Amino acid sequence: MTQIDQQGRGGAATPPPLRILRKAASAGLAMMRPAAALAVALFCGTVLLGLNGFDGISVMIGMVFGVFQDMRSVSEVLLKAVPLILIGAGLCVAFRCRMWNIGAEGQFYAGAVAATFAGVSVEGLTAWLYVPLITLAGALGGAFWGGIAGYLKVRFQASEIVTTIMLNYIALIATSYLVTGPMKDAQAAYPQSARLFREAWIPNLIPGTRLHVGILVALVLALALYVFLYRSSAGYAMRVVGINPFAAAYAGIRTRGNMVAAMCISGGMAGLAGAFEVAGVTRRLYQSISPGYGFEGIAVALLAGNNPLGAILSGGLFAVLRSGAELMQITSQVPQVLVLVIQGIVILSVVAFAAIRWQPWRKG
Amino acid sequence: MGLCVGARAVRIGVMPLAIAGLLGSGAVAWADQLKMGLLVPGSVSEEGWNRIGYNALKGVEEQLGAEVSYVELQQNPASFAKAFYDYASQGYQVILGHGFEFQDAALEVAEQYPDTYFLISSSDIHEGNVIGLNTDTSQPFYLMGVVAAKMGQKAGLVGGMEIPPIQQAFEGFKAGARSVNPDFPISEAYIGNFTDTAAAKEAALSMIAQGADFVQPNASGATVGGFQGIAESGKNVGTFSIFSDFTEVAPDNILGLYKADYAQGVVEVVRSIMDGNPPQSNVAFGLKDEKVMQFTFRDDGPSSVPEEIRTEIARIAAEIAAGNIRTMSN
C-alpha cells in the first residue's frame, strides 16, 4: 500500500517550522471557539440562575469546586467522560465521512444489550477472557446496529439521519422489552437484568472509587482513531468520501464500503461505551441505562470539530458539566429542570459556535 | 462584552469567599445537627411520587429541625451511587432513596459508610444500615376495587412502569373488586414511564371507549393525564384521587381521596433513628397507621358513594388494618 501525503490543503509547500507554527496557531484558534461557546453558555446560565432567585455566581463556583473537590469527585467526572469520549470520538469518524449518525444512543443500547447477554450467559470464564469477551460483544452489537443504517444508506439511499433516529427507538423499546421479559432478573420485581458475573466486571482503576480501566481504553481508542483518520490511507480515503463522494469514486475509492465502515466504527464505539456502562458501572441492564449519552456525544463531536483527539477534551468538558449539574442540585438546590435548561444552553451555544466556524468551509 | 468582563471580575472576587464557605460547611458535618438527603428519580415540581419524597424531606426539616437537601435523578442507574456517595461523604446521617431502584446503589455505598442510615422507599430490605420503607398501596386500592365493583360494570387500570409498587396496587384493586364479584371485568395497561401524560390520557380514553365506567390511573407524574381523560369522558366514569388532591382536574368524577402521608411516616422513622432506636426490621405502613394512610370519600361531587357502601368500606378497612383481610397474594 502506498502512503499518500496527507498534510492537507496545500501545506506541502510550506517549510516545516512554519508549518508547525501554523498548526499550533490553528489549534489555538480551534480551542478559542469552544472556550467562547462555553463562556457564553455559563454566563447565560448564571444570569438565568439569578433571574430564578439563586446566587448564580456562587452556584457556578460551588459547582466547579465541588467537581474537583477530591479524588472521588474527579474520578466520578472521569467515569462520566468514558462513554462521552468513546461515543464522541466514534462520531467524529462518521461525521468526517459525512454520515450523520444520530443513532449513537441506540448503538449504545445495542452494545449494552449484547454485553449483558454475554455477561450473564457464559459461566466459569476467567476475568482475562471474560472482560475482552463482553467488550467485544458490546462493540460488535453497536457496530451491527450502526451498520444497518449504513447498509440502508448505500443500498437504498435511505437517509441515515432518519434511519438512525428510528433505530434509536427500536433499540430503546427492545431493551425495555428484554429487561421486563426474557432478560429480566428472576429474583427482582423491578425491570432489570440479572447481575453480570463478577468475572465480567471491568477492573477498577483506582481502588475506593468507581473509575474503571475503560477510561484508558477510551483515551487509547480516541488516539487510535485520530491516527486512523489523519495518518493512514484508509482514514484518508474515508475523509475524501466525506468531502466529495463523486471525486472519491473517480479516484477509485470504494465509497459505499467506506460509508458502511464509518457507521460501523462509530456504532462500535457507542456499543463499547454501552458495554462499559453495564460491566463497569451498573453491573445490570436497565430500561434507562443511558441518560442520553448518545445525543450528548453528538455535541461532543461538534465541539471537538470532528477531531477524535478533540473529543477527549470536549468529552471531559461535558462530563464536568454533567457531574456539576448533579452537584448544583445537591449543594444549591437548583431544580433539575433548571439544570437541564442550563445544559441545553451549553449545547446550543456549542452548536451555534460550530456553525459559525463551518460557514466559510462550506462556501470554500 | 463589557458586561462579560464585569461578571468575570466579580466571579474572581467572590472565589476566596466561596472557598471559605466550602471549608466552613465541611466542619459543620461533624456537629450534632441532623442532615438528611433525598434522592428522587424525577422532578419534585410535579404532583406525584417524587413530591411525596420531597414532602417527607420537608417534614423532617420542619419537625426535626434538620438541614436537608435533595437531588433529582433521571431514572439513570449510574448516577444513583454517586449521589449516595455525595451525601454520605458530606456528613449526611440519613439519606432517603425514594424508590426501589435505589436499593442496589445504597447497599454498595453503605459498606463504606456504616454510620449513615440509608432509607429506601418501596423496599422490604433490612440489611445493617439500609432500611426499606414501604406503603402497602394494595390496601387502599383494595377498597377502590370494592367501590368500583359495587358501583360499576367494568374497570380500567392505567399504570406507569410495570414495577412492584404499581403492580401491587393493581393487585389490591383486583382482589378488592373480585371479593365483590369474581367475574368483574378489569382491563389493565402500562404506559411504560411516569412522565407521558398524553399516553396516560390515551390509555384512559381507550378503556372508557371499551366500556369501563371506573378508571384508576396510577402513574406518578403522568397520573394527571389519566384524570384528564376521565374528565373529558363525562360524569359517568368514576375514579379516586390518589396521593395528591386532583379534584380540580376531574371535579365530576372523583369519588374520594386516598392520601398517604408518607412524609409523616418518614418523619417518625427518622425521629426514632435520632433517638437512638432505629427500626430493627423493614417498615411497612398500612391502613393501621392512621397518621400515614387516609382513605376518605367526597361529598361535594355530582355523584357520590352511597352511605351503605361507605359503611361497608369502613368495615373492610378495619378488617384490613387488623390483618384479617389480605390485599395481596403473598
Side-chain angles (χ1 to χ4, degrees):
Chain A
M1 200 186 288
T2 52
Q3 192 67 33
I4 305 166
D5 185 349
Q6 307 146 29
Q7 291 312 314
R9 310 146 197 154
T14 341
L18 207 65
R19 197 192 299 160
I20 290 165
L21 207 67
R22 187 189 287 177
K23 268 203 161 172
S26 76
L29 196 73
M31 300 281 282
M32 280 292 289
R33 288 176 203 274
L38 188 67
V40 168
L42 289 184
F43 176 72
C44 292
T46 310
V47 171
L48 195 65
L49 285 169
L51 288 176
N52 282 278
F54 293 94
D55 182 355
I57 295 163
S58 67
V59 168
M60 287 286 179
I61 293 170
M63 170 184 126
V64 173
F65 275 98
V67 166
F68 298 106
Q69 192 178 21
D70 51 25
M71 194 60 181
R72 199 188 51 76
S73 22
V74 174
S75 74
E76 286 290 337
V77 172
L78 293 174
L79 187 69
K80 284 196 166 57
V82 173
L84 292 174
I85 293 174
L86 285 170
I87 295 171
L91 286 176
C92 289
V93 175
F95 293 165
R96 278 288 166 198
C97 191
R98 277 269 173 143
M99 293 296 285
W100 302 123
N101 179 9
I102 313 297
E105 184 82 354
Q107 291 142 19
F108 181 99
Y109 273 88
V113 167
T116 308
F117 187 73
V120 297
S121 47
V122 199
E123 210 171 349
L125 289 181
T126 63
W128 286 106
L129 264 172
Y130 218 149
V131 172
L133 173 75
I134 60 159
T135 47
L136 190 70
L140 288 178
F144 171 70
W145 211 248
I148 295 175
Y151 174 76
L152 292 174
K153 168 86 169 183
V154 300
R155 180 71 180 77
F156 302 107
Q157 278 77 48
S159 162
E160 76 281 10
I161 299 178
V162 175
T163 54
T164 50
I165 291 174
M166 292 301 144
L167 283 164
N168 281 344
Y169 289 110
I170 297 174
L172 252 106
I173 295 165
T175 306
S176 288
Y177 165 71
L178 287 171
V179 294
T180 49
M183 281 173 93
K184 188 174 159 201
D185 185 0
Q187 275 117 48
Y190 190 76
Q192 57 186 26
S193 77
R195 194 177 269 246
L196 268 63
F197 292 121
R198 191 166 270 275
E199 293 75 27
W201 295 9
I202 308 291
N204 244 34
L205 190 64
I206 306 172
T209 71
R210 298 198 294 159
L211 186 62
H212 53 79
V213 297
I215 184 73
L216 301 179
V217 178
L219 295 178
V220 168
L221 282 179
L223 181 68
L225 286 183
Y226 173 80
V227 172
F228 165 75
L229 270 182
Y230 294 98
R231 293 283 181 272
S232 80
S233 52
Y236 177 70
M238 201 171 267
R239 281 189 296 136
V240 172
V241 172
I243 293 166
N244 189 334
F246 303 104
Y250 188 70
I253 296 171
R254 291 177 57 241
T255 52
R256 295 169 149 225
N258 270 298
M259 284 172 166
V260 176
M263 284 302 295
C264 287
I265 291 173
S266 71
M269 292 289 279
L272 186 60
F276 280 160
E277 197 70 5
V278 166
V281 185
T282 63
R283 323 287 193 212
R284 294 177 191 273
L285 183 65
Y286 293 89
Q287 270 173 309
S288 50
I289 189 78
S290 164
Y293 286 137
F295 300 114
E296 211 159 307
I298 298 170
V300 169
L302 276 178
L303 184 62
N306 293 340
N307 181 330
L309 278 186
I312 295 176
L313 292 178
S314 60
L317 177 70
F318 274 95
V320 169
L321 291 172
R322 199 169 252 284
S323 227
E326 281 166 17
L327 218 65
M328 203 188 274
Q329 272 213 295
I330 290 180
T331 54
S332 314
Q333 298 294 283
V334 177
Q336 180 200 33
V337 278
L338 197 55
V339 173
L340 290 176
V341 170
I342 293 172
Q343 281 184 321
I345 292 175
V346 172
I347 292 175
L348 196 65
S349 165
V350 163
V351 173
F353 272 82
I356 293 169
R357 173 175 46 192
W358 276 359
Q359 213 59 39
W361 179 71
R362 276 186 186 157
K363 278 178 192 161
Chain B
M1 191 62 206
L3 203 61
C4 247
V5 172
R8 192 184 298 166
V10 172
R11 209 175 288 178
I12 291 164
V14 171
M15 234 175 246
L17 280 175
I19 298 169
L22 279 174
L23 291 174
S25 69
V28 174
W30 296 103
D32 275 329
Q33 162 85 351
L34 173 70
K35 284 168 85 177
M36 176 171 169
L38 165 72
L39 281 64
V40 283
S43 171
V44 300
S45 37
E46 287 162 357
E47 292 290 337
W49 174 251
N50 301 302
R51 178 65 74 83
I52 295 167
Y54 181 73
N55 289 342
L57 190 73
K58 283 288 161 194
V60 172
E61 182 182 34
E62 281 156 21
Q63 296 180 37
L64 305 179
E67 187 188 329
V68 299
S69 164
Y70 70 96
V71 60
E72 300 162 323
L73 304 158
Q74 305 153 279
Q75 292 280 357
N76 169 25
S79 66
F80 297 170
K82 176 180 183 280
F84 277 122
Y85 272 121
D86 282 337
Y87 279 128
S89 66
Q90 288 179 35
Y92 283 74
Q93 298 99 325
V94 179
I95 308 166
L96 171 61
H98 193 48
F100 176 83
E101 59 266 47
F102 293 108
Q103 184 175 299
D104 273 6
L107 286 169
E108 184 188 329
V109 179
E111 283 177 18
Q112 292 180 40
Y113 293 94
D115 299 328
T116 307
Y117 282 93
F118 297 83
L119 307 178
I120 307 295
S121 298
S122 293
S123 158
D124 298 327
I125 199 167
H126 185 263
E127 260 187 61
N129 48 342
V130 182
I131 301 164
L133 310 179
N134 218 340
T135 311
D136 189 352
T137 317
S138 70
Q139 296 185 4
F141 270 73
Y142 186 96
L143 302 180
M144 291 174 207
V146 172
V147 173
K150 281 191 181 287
M151 292 180 69
Q153 305 302 318
K154 187 179 178 186
L157 300 170
V158 179
M161 279 164 87
E162 209 169 342
I163 59 171
I166 308 290
Q167 290 167 318
Q168 285 161 8
F170 287 175
E171 203 177 314
F173 186 97
K174 288 182 274 188
R178 286 180 182 145
S179 73
V180 177
N181 171 9
D183 299 319
F184 188 72
I186 301 171
S187 56
E188 199 174 345
Y190 291 92
I191 61 170
N193 61 61
F194 289 116
T195 48
D196 193 345
T197 47
K201 185 176 171 179
E202 285 303 317
L205 286 174
S206 81
M207 283 173 177
I208 294 163
Q210 286 165 28
D213 54 6
F214 187 100
V215 174
Q216 192 54 55
N218 183 13
S220 185
T223 302
V224 66
F227 288 128
Q228 285 163 356
I230 293 164
E232 283 180 18
S233 305
K235 294 181 183 174
N236 295 328
V237 184
T239 188
F240 271 82
S241 185
I242 54 167
F243 300 121
S244 304
D245 191 350
F246 286 99
T247 310
E248 278 181 23
V249 182
D252 295 341
N253 312 87
I254 285 174
L255 302 170
L257 174 63
Y258 155 56
K259 218 168 176 177
D261 197 352
Y262 184 67
Q264 199 52 43
V266 172
V267 171
E268 300 308 327
V269 169
V270 175
R271 197 196 303 274
S272 70
I273 289 173
M274 271 181 86
D275 295 344
N277 311 309
Q280 296 305 310
S281 69
N282 65 311
V283 180
F285 305 114
L287 288 170
K288 67 180 186 326
D289 303 284
E290 285 172 11
K291 268 186 180 176
V292 179
M293 207 174 262
Q294 288 131 19
F295 190 86
T296 52
F297 291 104
R298 187 164 159 242
D299 294 315
D300 56 344
S303 53
S304 70
V305 178
E307 204 51 49
E308 68 267 22
I309 298 181
R310 295 190 188 202
T311 323
E312 176 72 2
I313 290 291
R315 187 190 62 78
I316 295 171
E319 292 275 311
I320 294 172
N324 297 333
I325 294 179
R326 298 185 68 87
T327 54
M328 272 192 302
S329 48
N330 57 335

